Amino acid sequence: MPAFDLPPAELEHYRPDVQEPPDFDEFWRDTLKEAAQQDVLVSMRPAESGLRLTETWDVTFRGFAGDPVRAWYSRPAGVREPLPAVVEYAGYGRGRGLPHERLTWVNAGYAHLLMDNRGQGDQYGNGGATPDPHASAPGGPGPAARGLPDPRAYHYRRLITDAVRAVTAVRALPEVDGGRVAAVGNSQGGGLALAVAGLVPDLAAVLVTAPFLCGIRRALELTDASPYGEISAYLSVHRDVEEAAYRTLAYVEGVSFARRAAAPAHFGTGLRDTVCPPSGAYAAFNRYGELTGVDPRKEIHAYPYNGHEGGDAVQVRHQLDWLAGELLVSR
């Protein structure tokens, strides 16, 4: 494998220390408490997708600061009993796209909620529909550096709060089994799913591939690829805010969320991933659940010759088989 990251034998035992702010738990408890003061659902309207075997609704729920966040809610057509649900988070720069794009989970028999990324959706894919009304805080133009000098103004404080609220929203939707909800994502979506696992104590499962925001300090030393490269570019101009930036990033560090997570977990990473280095995924995996007092079921799939695609469709098949064992088979 390329020498930019640790060799496989070291990755398997990689458990780096993380510099957690002393008020990490208080910060997130207060943030989520404020968001929870309003009812979560705003609207749910049928959406035409052109598909006959899938029913889809255009859902709006209240996220950070009560801001409206859009999502697609889909389920197998004609199925009326409560289904286990998958809440999926999209990658960096991408929005929720079109309602017929992501069919894997609904075709596997789950209710599926795909959350839009506030203030994103313009870099690739088919767009988004959720603005970020708080995006004027000092920081870089891209989401990864937006509000970076101040943890309370940082973009990912808002986006992670939206992600937690998406779980609350799916549980409020009709014909969803609220006790069987999984968080799923790749790249930025994987980072969000991992944060949700650390902040929602009764999550049923989490599936994370090539997660962003894991092992942030090491990633910034290893790669200039976006999104980490956007942070480096910002700091190359604003040299005096490095200390403040790292303090902010400590509040969204995926390893810290992983330490607090208790749900069964499925990870994946490509060992040639120069976007989200594999040491970040392994750091989160190896320290997963250590503060919970339980020993969560977890497994990781590593792909020696794959990059940021993280095993691609082969990894998805592993996820399908694993999640069926967690949510569809009685234990």
Side-chain angles (χ1 to χ4, degrees):
M1 64 175 287
F4 88 99
D5 208 342
L6 300 171
E10 292 185 32
L11 289 173
E12 291 177 3
H13 303 284
Y14 182 58
R15 298 174 61 89
D17 292 331
V18 290
Q19 297 181 4
E20 291 186 359
D23 64 339
F24 180 92
D25 293 309
E26 180 183 3
F27 176 88
W28 283 109
R29 183 170 58 249
D30 291 348
T31 297
L32 298 178
K33 181 179 180 180
E34 180 181 350
Q37 290 177 356
Q38 302 184 58
D39 292 339
V40 69
L41 287 182
V42 176
S43 64
M44 178 181 178
R45 302 189 305 272
E48 177 53 54
S49 67
L51 303 174
R52 297 170 58 189
L53 302 181
T54 300
E55 294 177 297
T56 300
W57 290 263
D58 186 348
V59 168
T60 301
F61 67 90
R62 291 184 178 91
F64 176 86
D67 299 334
V69 179
R70 304 287 288 277
W72 296 124
Y73 173 57
S74 300
R75 52 186 295 124
V79 178
R80 290 294 168 254
E81 68 265 22
L83 293 176
V86 167
V87 179
E88 185 175 4
Y89 306 106
Y92 187 77
R94 187 178 189 124
R96 65 174 182 168
L98 300 174
H100 62 269
E101 286 188 67
R102 302 204 180 194
L103 301 176
T104 297
W105 298 108
V106 69
N107 279 337
Y110 300 95
H112 178 235
L113 186 78
L114 174 62
M115 186 188 86
D116 204 12
N117 287 323
R118 67 162 62 219
Q120 299 188 31
D122 299 320
Q123 294 188 23
Y124 67 100
N126 291 294
T130 303
D132 184 1
H134 312 276
S136 61
R146 197 174 292 157
L148 185 59
D150 180 358
R152 297 191 64 80
Y154 192 37
H155 176 77
Y156 282 98
R157 177 181 179 231
R158 301 189 291 278
L159 196 60
I160 289 171
T161 301
D162 292 347
V164 170
R165 293 286 281 169
V167 173
T168 305
V170 83
R171 286 173 164 164
L173 293 172
E175 296 158 347
V176 167
D177 182 346
R180 293 187 293 167
V181 176
V184 177
N186 303 330
S187 192
Q188 175 185 263
L192 293 177
L194 193 57
V196 168
L199 293 170
V200 179
D202 58 349
L203 196 70
V206 60
L207 299 97
V208 174
T209 304
F212 180 47
L213 298 176
C214 288
I216 298 173
R217 282 181 174 267
R218 178 172 173 80
L220 286 168
E221 295 171 356
L222 290 177
T223 182
D224 283 328
S226 179
Y228 289 113
E230 296 178 22
I231 297 173
S232 299
Y234 178 77
L235 293 178
S236 74
V237 176
H238 301 276
R239 303 168 185 87
D240 58 334
V241 303
E242 179 182 6
E243 182 177 350
Y246 276 114
R247 178 175 180 270
T248 293
L249 292 168
Y251 286 97
V252 299
E253 169 59 62
V255 178
S256 295
F257 290 122
R259 298 177 70 214
R260 292 160 169 79
H266 187 282
F267 282 72
T269 184
L271 298 187
R272 297 174 184 249
D273 188 346
T274 58
V275 176
C276 295
S279 55
Y282 270 96
F285 176 79
N286 289 332
R287 303 199 65 178
Y288 188 89
E290 67 181 14
L291 295 181
T292 64
V294 299
D295 185 16
R297 293 183 299 276
K298 61 180 183 177
E299 64 181 62
I300 188 168
H301 293 260
Y303 301 90
Y305 298 98
N306 288 102
H308 194 53
E309 78 279 12
D312 205 13
V314 172
Q315 172 68 0
V316 174
R317 181 55 194 269
H318 285 311
Q319 291 179 324
L320 285 166
D321 292 344
W322 181 86
L323 191 60
E326 293 296 330
L327 295 193
L328 299 182
V329 176
S330 298
R331 288 183 175 272

